[in-house]
Amino acid sequence: MEPTTRRILLGRIHGAFGVRGELKLESFTEPATAIFRYQPWTLRDAQGRESNPAGAHGRETHKGVVAVIPGVADRDAAEALRGSEIWVPRSALPPPQAGEYYWVDLEGLRVVNLEGIDFGTVSHLFSTGANDVLVARGDRERMIPFLEPDYIRSVDFDAGVVTVDWDAGF
């Protein structure tokens, strides 16, 4: 995969499931088993080593999502993948619906408030459980609730700008 290809983190391997090489996954997709729709996967371990397994498939069980990756044939091989992240190319995902965004598409956009004050660029987003939060980094870091239209007034991909209703002093 070329270094310029944008990727999205879709899940994480939590360890072995049984003795035949099946894996317990944490999936960030909705529904959780949709993770198998988006391939090819790139597995990245804690040391940054990457592999590209082909043909992963799986199912949901009462204990969560279980995956089978060709070539992972026993519990030891499955345990060796514990902690690996599952990444896919951004191009593997369908276009978002109107008014929806993939977080990775927002990263790097300029953030300005209604008065035109530049807050820097979108560093990343995270979820608090109650709502999502946009993190803008410029002269300092600002955390802005991603609530439309309350605080996020517009997202203009053509101009590369997110306009926010947020006081520059916060």
Side-chain angles (χ1 to χ4, degrees), residues 139-166:
D139 59 332
R140 62 188 184 93
E141 185 175 89
R142 291 178 173 87
M143 290 186 247
I144 304 165
F146 200 91
L147 297 172
E148 295 178 287
D150 298 339
Y151 303 113
I152 306 298
R153 289 300 181 95
S154 68
V155 176
D156 185 341
F157 286 106
D158 294 331
V161 175
V162 176
T163 303
V164 298
D165 186 358
W166 199 252

PDB file of all heavy atoms in Angstrom, residues 139-166:
ATOM      1  N   ASP A 139      -2.883  27.434  17.261  1.00  0.00           N
ATOM      2  CA  ASP A 139      -2.071  28.084  18.281  1.00  0.00           C
ATOM      3  C   ASP A 139      -2.193  27.349  19.614  1.00  0.00           C
ATOM      4  O   ASP A 139      -1.330  27.424  20.476  1.00  0.00           O
ATOM      5  CB  ASP A 139      -2.452  29.560  18.433  1.00  0.00           C
ATOM      6  CG  ASP A 139      -3.909  29.772  18.808  1.00  0.00           C
ATOM      7  OD1 ASP A 139      -4.749  28.918  18.467  1.00  0.00           O
ATOM      8  OD2 ASP A 139      -4.214  30.811  19.429  1.00  0.00           O
ATOM      9  N   ARG A 140      -3.295  26.637  19.771  1.00  0.00           N
ATOM     10  CA  ARG A 140      -3.509  25.751  20.920  1.00  0.00           C
ATOM     11  C   ARG A 140      -4.539  24.701  20.516  1.00  0.00           C
ATOM     12  O   ARG A 140      -5.084  24.750  19.421  1.00  0.00           O
ATOM     13  CB  ARG A 140      -3.966  26.531  22.151  1.00  0.00           C
ATOM     14  CG  ARG A 140      -5.277  27.254  21.988  1.00  0.00           C
ATOM     15  CD  ARG A 140      -5.529  28.149  23.209  1.00  0.00           C
ATOM     16  NE  ARG A 140      -6.805  28.789  23.145  1.00  0.00           N
ATOM     17  CZ  ARG A 140      -7.930  28.315  23.683  1.00  0.00           C
ATOM     18  NH1 ARG A 140      -7.925  27.182  24.324  1.00  0.00           N
ATOM     19  NH2 ARG A 140      -9.053  29.003  23.594  1.00  0.00           N
ATOM     20  N   GLU A 141      -4.811  23.771  21.389  1.00  0.00           N
ATOM     21  CA  GLU A 141      -5.780  22.711  21.088  1.00  0.00           C
ATOM     22  C   GLU A 141      -7.160  23.105  21.607  1.00  0.00           C
ATOM     23  O   GLU A 141      -7.288  23.570  22.736  1.00  0.00           O
ATOM     24  CB  GLU A 141      -5.322  21.408  21.731  1.00  0.00           C
ATOM     25  CG  GLU A 141      -6.185  20.221  21.379  1.00  0.00           C
ATOM     26  CD  GLU A 141      -5.627  18.935  21.945  1.00  0.00           C
ATOM     27  OE1 GLU A 141      -5.981  18.598  23.095  1.00  0.00           O
ATOM     28  OE2 GLU A 141      -4.840  18.285  21.251  1.00  0.00           O
ATOM     29  N   ARG A 142      -8.155  22.930  20.756  1.00  0.00           N
ATOM     30  CA  ARG A 142      -9.544  23.185  21.148  1.00  0.00           C
ATOM     31  C   ARG A 142     -10.356  21.925  20.909  1.00  0.00           C
ATOM     32  O   ARG A 142     -10.208  21.284  19.869  1.00  0.00           O
ATOM     33  CB  ARG A 142     -10.130  24.331  20.337  1.00  0.00           C
ATOM     34  CG  ARG A 142      -9.535  25.680  20.667  1.00  0.00           C
ATOM     35  CD  ARG A 142     -10.144  26.766  19.781  1.00  0.00           C
ATOM     36  NE  ARG A 142      -9.725  28.087  20.176  1.00  0.00           N
ATOM     37  CZ  ARG A 142      -8.610  28.674  19.733  1.00  0.00           C
ATOM     38  NH1 ARG A 142      -7.815  28.061  18.886  1.00  0.00           N
ATOM     39  NH2 ARG A 142      -8.305  29.888  20.143  1.00  0.00           N
ATOM     40  N   MET A 143     -11.218  21.597  21.869  1.00  0.00           N
ATOM     41  CA  MET A 143     -12.119  20.458  21.731  1.00  0.00           C
ATOM     42  C   MET A 143     -13.529  20.997  21.585  1.00  0.00           C
ATOM     43  O   MET A 143     -14.037  21.656  22.490  1.00  0.00           O
ATOM     44  CB  MET A 143     -11.981  19.525  22.915  1.00  0.00           C
ATOM     45  CG  MET A 143     -10.658  18.798  22.910  1.00  0.00           C
ATOM     46  SD  MET A 143     -10.549  17.580  24.195  1.00  0.00           S
ATOM     47  CE  MET A 143      -9.282  18.315  25.196  1.00  0.00           C
ATOM     48  N   ILE A 144     -14.152  20.700  20.437  1.00  0.00           N
ATOM     49  CA  ILE A 144     -15.455  21.258  20.095  1.00  0.00           C
ATOM     50  C   ILE A 144     -16.446  20.116  19.914  1.00  0.00           C
ATOM     51  O   ILE A 144     -16.212  19.216  19.104  1.00  0.00           O
ATOM     52  CB  ILE A 144     -15.351  22.091  18.798  1.00  0.00           C
ATOM     53  CG1 ILE A 144     -14.267  23.175  18.969  1.00  0.00           C
ATOM     54  CG2 ILE A 144     -16.696  22.687  18.417  1.00  0.00           C
ATOM     55  CD1 ILE A 144     -13.826  23.812  17.666  1.00  0.00           C
ATOM     56  N   PRO A 145     -17.552  20.127  20.656  1.00  0.00           N
ATOM     57  CA  PRO A 145     -18.548  19.062  20.463  1.00  0.00           C
ATOM     58  C   PRO A 145     -19.016  19.033  19.006  1.00  0.00           C
ATOM     59  O   PRO A 145     -19.332  20.068  18.427  1.00  0.00           O
ATOM     60  CB  PRO A 145     -19.692  19.469  21.398  1.00  0.00           C
ATOM     61  CG  PRO A 145     -19.061  20.391  22.394  1.00  0.00           C
ATOM     62  CD  PRO A 145     -17.961  21.096  21.665  1.00  0.00           C
ATOM     63  N   PHE A 146     -19.029  17.842  18.427  1.00  0.00           N
ATOM     64  CA  PHE A 146     -19.458  17.703  17.032  1.00  0.00           C
ATOM     65  C   PHE A 146     -20.981  17.560  17.015  1.00  0.00           C
ATOM     66  O   PHE A 146     -21.526  16.476  16.814  1.00  0.00           O
ATOM     67  CB  PHE A 146     -18.790  16.508  16.353  1.00  0.00           C
ATOM     68  CG  PHE A 146     -18.814  16.608  14.862  1.00  0.00           C
ATOM     69  CD1 PHE A 146     -17.776  17.201  14.185  1.00  0.00           C
ATOM     70  CD2 PHE A 146     -19.901  16.137  14.124  1.00  0.00           C
ATOM     71  CE1 PHE A 146     -17.793  17.313  12.800  1.00  0.00           C
ATOM     72  CE2 PHE A 146     -19.933  16.246  12.758  1.00  0.00           C
ATOM     73  CZ  PHE A 146     -18.879  16.835  12.091  1.00  0.00           C
ATOM     74  N   LEU A 147     -21.639  18.675  17.257  1.00  0.00           N
ATOM     75  CA  LEU A 147     -23.094  18.724  17.260  1.00  0.00           C
ATOM     76  C   LEU A 147     -23.531  19.727  16.204  1.00  0.00           C
ATOM     77  O   LEU A 147     -23.212  20.913  16.291  1.00  0.00           O
ATOM     78  CB  LEU A 147     -23.620  19.141  18.641  1.00  0.00           C
ATOM     79  CG  LEU A 147     -23.302  18.185  19.786  1.00  0.00           C
ATOM     80  CD1 LEU A 147     -23.701  18.807  21.117  1.00  0.00           C
ATOM     81  CD2 LEU A 147     -23.996  16.855  19.582  1.00  0.00           C
ATOM     82  N   GLU A 148     -24.241  19.209  15.198  1.00  0.00           N
ATOM     83  CA  GLU A 148     -24.754  20.075  14.124  1.00  0.00           C
ATOM     84  C   GLU A 148     -26.210  20.389  14.408  1.00  0.00           C
ATOM     85  O   GLU A 148     -26.953  19.491  14.805  1.00  0.00           O
ATOM     86  CB  GLU A 148     -24.649  19.365  12.775  1.00  0.00           C
ATOM     87  CG  GLU A 148     -23.225  19.091  12.337  1.00  0.00           C
ATOM     88  CD  GLU A 148     -23.170  18.355  11.025  1.00  0.00           C
ATOM     89  OE1 GLU A 148     -23.478  17.156  11.018  1.00  0.00           O
ATOM     90  OE2 GLU A 148     -22.820  18.989  10.019  1.00  0.00           O
ATOM     91  N   PRO A 149     -26.663  21.549  14.221  1.00  0.00           N
ATOM     92  CA  PRO A 149     -25.976  22.774  13.833  1.00  0.00           C
ATOM     93  C   PRO A 149     -25.536  23.616  15.037  1.00  0.00           C
ATOM     94  O   PRO A 149     -25.122  24.748  14.858  1.00  0.00           O
ATOM     95  CB  PRO A 149     -27.032  23.510  13.035  1.00  0.00           C
ATOM     96  CG  PRO A 149     -28.310  23.171  13.733  1.00  0.00           C
ATOM     97  CD  PRO A 149     -28.129  21.744  14.218  1.00  0.00           C
ATOM     98  N   ASP A 150     -25.622  23.064  16.246  1.00  0.00           N
ATOM     99  CA  ASP A 150     -25.299  23.845  17.446  1.00  0.00           C
ATOM    100  C   ASP A 150     -23.890  24.437  17.399  1.00  0.00           C
ATOM    101  O   ASP A 150     -23.719  25.641  17.610  1.00  0.00           O
ATOM    102  CB  ASP A 150     -25.446  22.990  18.707  1.00  0.00           C
ATOM    103  CG  ASP A 150     -26.871  22.496  18.910  1.00  0.00           C
ATOM    104  OD1 ASP A 150     -27.786  23.108  18.346  1.00  0.00           O
ATOM    105  OD2 ASP A 150     -27.057  21.490  19.614  1.00  0.00           O
ATOM    106  N   TYR A 151     -22.886  23.586  17.196  1.00  0.00           N
ATOM    107  CA  TYR A 151     -21.509  24.046  17.213  1.00  0.00           C
ATOM    108  C   TYR A 151     -20.821  23.877  15.859  1.00  0.00           C
ATOM    109  O   TYR A 151     -19.978  24.681  15.498  1.00  0.00           O
ATOM    110  CB  TYR A 151     -20.701  23.317  18.291  1.00  0.00           C
ATOM    111  CG  TYR A 151     -21.324  23.478  19.658  1.00  0.00           C
ATOM    112  CD1 TYR A 151     -21.873  22.397  20.331  1.00  0.00           C
ATOM    113  CD2 TYR A 151     -21.382  24.727  20.261  1.00  0.00           C
ATOM    114  CE1 TYR A 151     -22.458  22.545  21.577  1.00  0.00           C
ATOM    115  CE2 TYR A 151     -21.972  24.892  21.506  1.00  0.00           C
ATOM    116  CZ  TYR A 151     -22.512  23.790  22.156  1.00  0.00           C
ATOM    117  OH  TYR A 151     -23.097  23.950  23.378  1.00  0.00           O
ATOM    118  N   ILE A 152     -21.153  22.829  15.152  1.00  0.00           N
ATOM    119  CA  ILE A 152     -20.603  22.616  13.811  1.00  0.00           C
ATOM    120  C   ILE A 152     -21.622  23.185  12.838  1.00  0.00           C
ATOM    121  O   ILE A 152     -22.691  22.622  12.636  1.00  0.00           O
ATOM    122  CB  ILE A 152     -20.357  21.115  13.520  1.00  0.00           C
ATOM    123  CG1 ILE A 152     -19.485  20.486  14.597  1.00  0.00           C
ATOM    124  CG2 ILE A 152     -19.774  20.937  12.118  1.00  0.00           C
ATOM    125  CD1 ILE A 152     -18.086  21.046  14.734  1.00  0.00           C
ATOM    126  N   ARG A 153     -21.291  24.330  12.258  1.00  0.00           N
ATOM    127  CA  ARG A 153     -22.238  25.022  11.383  1.00  0.00           C
ATOM    128  C   ARG A 153     -22.188  24.515   9.956  1.00  0.00           C
ATOM    129  O   ARG A 153     -23.209  24.397   9.301  1.00  0.00           O
ATOM    130  CB  ARG A 153     -21.998  26.531  11.415  1.00  0.00           C
ATOM    131  CG  ARG A 153     -22.413  27.158  12.730  1.00  0.00           C
ATOM    132  CD  ARG A 153     -23.913  26.927  12.969  1.00  0.00           C
ATOM    133  NE  ARG A 153     -24.382  27.501  14.178  1.00  0.00           N
ATOM    134  CZ  ARG A 153     -24.938  28.699  14.275  1.00  0.00           C
ATOM    135  NH1 ARG A 153     -25.092  29.449  13.222  1.00  0.00           N
ATOM    136  NH2 ARG A 153     -25.331  29.133  15.446  1.00  0.00           N
ATOM    137  N   SER A 154     -20.983  24.222   9.453  1.00  0.00           N
ATOM    138  CA  SER A 154     -20.887  23.699   8.087  1.00  0.00           C
ATOM    139  C   SER A 154     -19.563  22.973   7.898  1.00  0.00           C
ATOM    140  O   SER A 154     -18.577  23.260   8.574  1.00  0.00           O
ATOM    141  CB  SER A 154     -21.021  24.817   7.055  1.00  0.00           C
ATOM    142  OG  SER A 154     -19.918  25.681   7.104  1.00  0.00           O
ATOM    143  N   VAL A 155     -19.591  22.034   6.969  1.00  0.00           N
ATOM    144  CA  VAL A 155     -18.392  21.325   6.535  1.00  0.00           C
ATOM    145  C   VAL A 155     -18.333  21.493   5.031  1.00  0.00           C
ATOM    146  O   VAL A 155     -19.228  21.043   4.314  1.00  0.00           O
ATOM    147  CB  VAL A 155     -18.435  19.826   6.909  1.00  0.00           C
ATOM    148  CG1 VAL A 155     -17.216  19.103   6.360  1.00  0.00           C
ATOM    149  CG2 VAL A 155     -18.533  19.648   8.428  1.00  0.00           C
ATOM    150  N   ASP A 156     -17.303  22.178   4.560  1.00  0.00           N
ATOM    151  CA  ASP A 156     -17.146  22.453   3.131  1.00  0.00           C
ATOM    152  C   ASP A 156     -15.880  21.758   2.650  1.00  0.00           C
ATOM    153  O   ASP A 156     -14.775  22.270   2.821  1.00  0.00           O
ATOM    154  CB  ASP A 156     -17.064  23.964   2.894  1.00  0.00           C
ATOM    155  CG  ASP A 156     -17.021  24.337   1.429  1.00  0.00           C
ATOM    156  OD1 ASP A 156     -16.690  23.472   0.587  1.00  0.00           O
ATOM    157  OD2 ASP A 156     -17.309  25.508   1.122  1.00  0.00           O
ATOM    158  N   PHE A 157     -16.064  20.571   2.054  1.00  0.00           N
ATOM    159  CA  PHE A 157     -14.909  19.815   1.590  1.00  0.00           C
ATOM    160  C   PHE A 157     -14.222  20.518   0.422  1.00  0.00           C
ATOM    161  O   PHE A 157     -12.998  20.439   0.292  1.00  0.00           O
ATOM    162  CB  PHE A 157     -15.311  18.388   1.196  1.00  0.00           C
ATOM    163  CG  PHE A 157     -15.599  17.515   2.388  1.00  0.00           C
ATOM    164  CD1 PHE A 157     -16.894  17.165   2.710  1.00  0.00           C
ATOM    165  CD2 PHE A 157     -14.572  17.045   3.190  1.00  0.00           C
ATOM    166  CE1 PHE A 157     -17.164  16.368   3.807  1.00  0.00           C
ATOM    167  CE2 PHE A 157     -14.826  16.246   4.289  1.00  0.00           C
ATOM    168  CZ  PHE A 157     -16.126  15.906   4.605  1.00  0.00           C
ATOM    169  N   ASP A 158     -14.988  21.197  -0.445  1.00  0.00           N
ATOM    170  CA  ASP A 158     -14.386  21.899  -1.581  1.00  0.00           C
ATOM    171  C   ASP A 158     -13.436  22.993  -1.115  1.00  0.00           C
ATOM    172  O   ASP A 158     -12.349  23.158  -1.671  1.00  0.00           O
ATOM    173  CB  ASP A 158     -15.469  22.490  -2.494  1.00  0.00           C
ATOM    174  CG  ASP A 158     -16.292  21.408  -3.174  1.00  0.00           C
ATOM    175  OD1 ASP A 158     -15.741  20.306  -3.405  1.00  0.00           O
ATOM    176  OD2 ASP A 158     -17.479  21.652  -3.468  1.00  0.00           O
ATOM    177  N   ALA A 159     -13.836  23.744  -0.090  1.00  0.00           N
ATOM    178  CA  ALA A 159     -12.982  24.819   0.448  1.00  0.00           C
ATOM    179  C   ALA A 159     -12.005  24.290   1.497  1.00  0.00           C
ATOM    180  O   ALA A 159     -11.058  24.980   1.870  1.00  0.00           O
ATOM    181  CB  ALA A 159     -13.845  25.925   1.052  1.00  0.00           C
ATOM    182  N   GLY A 160     -12.253  23.064   1.997  1.00  0.00           N
ATOM    183  CA  GLY A 160     -11.391  22.491   3.030  1.00  0.00           C
ATOM    184  C   GLY A 160     -11.557  23.148   4.378  1.00  0.00           C
ATOM    185  O   GLY A 160     -10.591  23.287   5.128  1.00  0.00           O
ATOM    186  N   VAL A 161     -12.823  23.536   4.710  1.00  0.00           N
ATOM    187  CA  VAL A 161     -13.067  24.307   5.936  1.00  0.00           C
ATOM    188  C   VAL A 161     -14.249  23.745   6.718  1.00  0.00           C
ATOM    189  O   VAL A 161     -15.298  23.421   6.138  1.00  0.00           O
ATOM    190  CB  VAL A 161     -13.361  25.795   5.587  1.00  0.00           C
ATOM    191  CG1 VAL A 161     -13.732  26.573   6.831  1.00  0.00           C
ATOM    192  CG2 VAL A 161     -12.169  26.427   4.908  1.00  0.00           C
ATOM    193  N   VAL A 162     -14.083  23.679   8.032  1.00  0.00           N
ATOM    194  CA  VAL A 162     -15.169  23.391   8.959  1.00  0.00           C
ATOM    195  C   VAL A 162     -15.447  24.718   9.679  1.00  0.00           C
ATOM    196  O   VAL A 162     -14.547  25.294  10.288  1.00  0.00           O
ATOM    197  CB  VAL A 162     -14.799  22.311   9.984  1.00  0.00           C
ATOM    198  CG1 VAL A 162     -15.927  22.106  10.990  1.00  0.00           C
ATOM    199  CG2 VAL A 162     -14.443  21.007   9.294  1.00  0.00           C
ATOM    200  N   THR A 163     -16.683  25.203   9.597  1.00  0.00           N
ATOM    201  CA  THR A 163     -17.063  26.439  10.288  1.00  0.00           C
ATOM    202  C   THR A 163     -17.782  26.062  11.568  1.00  0.00           C
ATOM    203  O   THR A 163     -18.709  25.240  11.554  1.00  0.00           O
ATOM    204  CB  THR A 163     -17.971  27.317   9.390  1.00  0.00           C
ATOM    205  OG1 THR A 163     -17.266  27.572   8.179  1.00  0.00           O
ATOM    206  CG2 THR A 163     -18.316  28.621  10.075  1.00  0.00           C
ATOM    207  N   VAL A 164     -17.333  26.666  12.672  1.00  0.00           N
ATOM    208  CA  VAL A 164     -17.869  26.325  13.989  1.00  0.00           C
ATOM    209  C   VAL A 164     -18.411  27.574  14.687  1.00  0.00           C
ATOM    210  O   VAL A 164     -17.944  28.678  14.466  1.00  0.00           O
ATOM    211  CB  VAL A 164     -16.802  25.658  14.871  1.00  0.00           C
ATOM    212  CG1 VAL A 164     -16.331  24.343  14.258  1.00  0.00           C
ATOM    213  CG2 VAL A 164     -15.619  26.560  15.146  1.00  0.00           C
ATOM    214  N   ASP A 165     -19.410  27.367  15.521  1.00  0.00           N
ATOM    215  CA  ASP A 165     -19.927  28.421  16.392  1.00  0.00           C
ATOM    216  C   ASP A 165     -19.284  28.185  17.746  1.00  0.00           C
ATOM    217  O   ASP A 165     -19.826  27.481  18.595  1.00  0.00           O
ATOM    218  CB  ASP A 165     -21.454  28.342  16.461  1.00  0.00           C
ATOM    219  CG  ASP A 165     -22.055  29.504  17.239  1.00  0.00           C
ATOM    220  OD1 ASP A 165     -21.291  30.349  17.755  1.00  0.00           O
ATOM    221  OD2 ASP A 165     -23.295  29.560  17.330  1.00  0.00           O
ATOM    222  N   TRP A 166     -18.083  28.746  17.915  1.00  0.00           N
ATOM    223  CA  TRP A 166     -17.289  28.487  19.103  1.00  0.00           C
ATOM    224  C   TRP A 166     -16.476  29.727  19.439  1.00  0.00           C
ATOM    225  O   TRP A 166     -15.836  30.297  18.569  1.00  0.00           O
ATOM    226  CB  TRP A 166     -16.357  27.296  18.855  1.00  0.00           C
ATOM    227  CG  TRP A 166     -15.827  26.660  20.102  1.00  0.00           C
ATOM    228  CD1 TRP A 166     -14.547  26.738  20.587  1.00  0.00           C
ATOM    229  CD2 TRP A 166     -16.534  25.820  21.017  1.00  0.00           C
ATOM    230  NE1 TRP A 166     -14.429  26.025  21.744  1.00  0.00           N
ATOM    231  CE2 TRP A 166     -15.633  25.434  22.027  1.00  0.00           C
ATOM    232  CE3 TRP A 166     -17.843  25.365  21.090  1.00  0.00           C
ATOM    233  CZ2 TRP A 166     -15.995  24.622  23.090  1.00  0.00           C
ATOM    234  CZ3 TRP A 166     -18.219  24.557  22.140  1.00  0.00           C
ATOM    235  CH2 TRP A 166     -17.297  24.198  23.120  1.00  0.00           C
TER     236      TRP A 166
END
